[in-house]
Amino acid sequence: MTARAPGTAARLEVFPRVDALAHAAADVIRSAAADAVRERGRFTLALAGGSTPRAVYSLLSADRTFPWSNTEFCFGDERAVPPDHPDSNARMVRQTLLREDLAPPERVHRIRAELPPAEAAADYEQVLRALFAGATLPRFDLILLGLGADGHTASLFPGSPALHERSRWVADNWAPALGVHRVTLTLGVLNAAAAVLFLVSGRDKAAALRATLAADGDDAATPARAIRPANGSLRYLVDADAASDLDPR
Ligand code: 6PG
């Protein structure tokens, strides 16, 4: 059982509908980008996959005030498929966030998941080690995460081997319930971020969100609980459906 460390002051914001959540998330990303570029000259962003972020990415896609040329677009995880596959997160991001071609190609760092999973993970780790040269762990300015109905986040699934990875930055992982391979940032990287932003919508996520936010629980059963940035902010932007199992107080 794990308890929420007192230092992890998570901030939860509930929105009546998913469109309001998307606008709020886009504003958080814009603000983080502006701060990072002002302070360090670049914004390092790890993108979430799945469907929830699509609306957020589409809102940002035509924003000419966004620092496209100063942002390093990375991925939190990827399915073990080629970039033109319908399940590819890189494909989803190309169709939404990057559809206006405002980001220079050299700023977009997809996971080459057309390679065998272990090779794709090693390859991506080299990409990140070049982006965060000399770092013991990469400190992303912002990592976007979703939440699966089973409590997974990125591609860290309940009972999956990558949950126990303590040295690699990027790992290949087996998703037992889905029977598929994935490539994912590991917990050390996720928890080294300056800011982590969860985007959660839908009633099917209500039980997982309750388990994630509960004071006590089991990280192995609900991997999203293990996201506790050691020296960073943790925010959950959720819609009312996803929050429907939470205690009202
Ligand atoms: C992925 C994601 C995964 C996702 C959750 C929620 O590659 O699918 O990284 O962790 O964020 O499964 O997905 P939805 O937003 O589609 O519900």
Side-chain angles (χ1 to χ4, degrees):
M1 301 289 271
T2 54
R4 277 255 172 246
T8 310
R11 185 172 156 193
L12 171 71
E13 294 161 80
V14 182
F15 296 87
R17 294 179 322 283
V18 67
D19 60 336
L21 186 164
H23 278 89
D27 288 344
V28 171
I29 297 166
R30 286 189 190 100
S31 172
D35 292 349
V37 171
R38 184 179 60 250
E39 293 163 16
R40 290 178 293 281
R42 75 170 186 175
F43 177 46
T44 53
L45 173 64
L47 297 166
S51 55
T52 304
R54 293 183 71 101
V56 186
Y57 296 163
S58 296
L59 284 173
L60 287 172
S61 66
D63 183 344
R64 294 189 175 281
T65 66
F66 190 83
W68 298 97
S69 298
N70 299 86
T71 297
E72 301 295 352
F73 295 93
C74 301
F75 287 78
D77 71 327
E78 185 57 276
R79 288 82 180 279
V81 295
D84 56 354
H85 189 283
D87 290 349
S88 165
N89 287 333
R91 180 174 181 269
M92 180 273 288
V93 167
R94 245 193 350 269
Q95 291 176 337
T96 54
L97 182 65
L98 306 180
R99 68 185 177 200
E100 306 294 335
D101 288 328
L102 295 177
E106 65 274 15
R107 290 282 173 273
V108 181
H109 311 284
R110 70 175 183 87
I111 298 171
R112 294 200 301 152
E114 63 274 23
L115 298 171
E119 204 177 317
D123 174 80
Y124 203 58
E125 178 149 341
Q126 291 315 307
V127 170
L128 295 184
R129 285 184 182 277
L131 278 176
F132 295 89
T136 306
L137 278 171
R139 183 169 170 77
F140 279 94
D141 293 307
L142 178 61
I143 296 181
L144 304 178
L145 291 174
L147 177 66
D150 62 354
H152 82 262
T153 192
S155 282
L156 298 171
F157 292 85
S160 63
L163 273 175
H164 310 291
E165 178 59 53
R166 292 290 178 266
S167 56
R168 290 186 290 171
W169 290 10
V170 186
D172 53 306
N173 201 20
W174 176 249
L178 301 175
V180 295
H181 286 282
R182 293 284 189 92
V183 179
T184 184
L185 297 185
T186 52
L187 279 178
V189 173
L190 299 176
N191 283 329
V196 172
L197 180 64
F198 273 93
L199 306 173
V200 189
S201 72
R203 194 168 298 277
D204 61 322
K205 308 297 178 71
L209 184 61
R210 179 185 177 97
T212 299
L213 297 176
D216 294 313
D218 178 5
D219 290 4
T222 308
R225 289 182 55 82
I227 305 303
R228 294 183 284 267
N231 178 23
S233 67
L234 176 58
R235 291 176 73 171
Y236 298 83
L237 302 189
V238 309
D239 69 1
D241 283 343
S244 53
D245 271 5
L246 299 182
D247 292 337
R249 54 186 159 73

